[in-house]
Amino acid sequence: SVVSTQSTGICNMKYFPHDAFILFLNKTDIFEKKISFVPITIAFPEYSGPNEYDACKRYIQDRLVELNKNPDKSIFPHFTNATDTNNIKFVFDAVVEIFLENNLKSAGLV
């Protein structure tokens, strides 16, 4: 499967025990086109859901988020498409909010 032990290692490194992770799942426009003619089971043979864009992207997101072994660590997944400026602005604003919230928590202000 595409989800590797390297991905597991990055998420669970001892250097980042409580740091939030922002997971960018980029190029959604390409994925949406490709999933219409290439089955997701090529990369995820265990997948048994429909070969539809929303179901497949949710499955991949869930698989990556499951790699987190620390229940106190937050993972913030975002589907992105760099050519969609509205999407990039939304994701950027969400990332800024995550950083601010985590910094306020670290300082004991929230």
Side-chain angles (χ1 to χ4, degrees):
S1 161
V2 173
V3 179
S4 69
T5 55
Q6 182 178 14
S7 300
T8 303
I10 292 168
C11 181
N12 296 298
M13 287 182 79
K14 66 180 179 180
Y15 305 109
F16 310 112
H18 304 292
D19 295 341
F21 270 71
I22 301 167
L23 173 63
F24 291 104
L25 299 158
N26 195 22
K27 301 192 183 268
T28 56
D29 55 331
I30 295 170
F31 180 71
E32 186 172 16
K33 288 176 188 170
K34 194 162 192 170
I35 201 68
S36 68
F37 61 88
V38 177
I40 191 174
T41 53
I42 295 290
F44 297 94
E46 69 284 355
Y47 180 72
S48 61
N51 202 64
E52 298 167 355
Y53 172 68
D54 287 330
C56 291
K57 78 176 194 176
R58 200 62 55 205
Y59 177 77
I60 292 169
Q61 172 187 302
D62 291 347
R63 287 290 312 273
L64 291 168
V65 170
E66 284 173 2
L67 297 175
N68 177 22
K69 303 299 180 202
N70 181 349
D72 296 327
K73 182 186 297 189
S74 298
I75 306 232
F76 300 94
H78 290 281
F79 293 97
T80 61
N81 172 358
T83 60
D84 181 348
T85 54
N86 289 332
N87 176 263
I88 293 301
K89 180 174 177 5
F90 172 79
V91 170
F92 180 78
D93 290 345
V95 168
V96 169
E97 184 177 328
I98 291 164
F99 280 120
L100 287 174
E101 183 178 321
N102 285 340
N103 286 330
L104 290 171
K105 282 181 184 175
S106 293
L109 298 173
V110 179

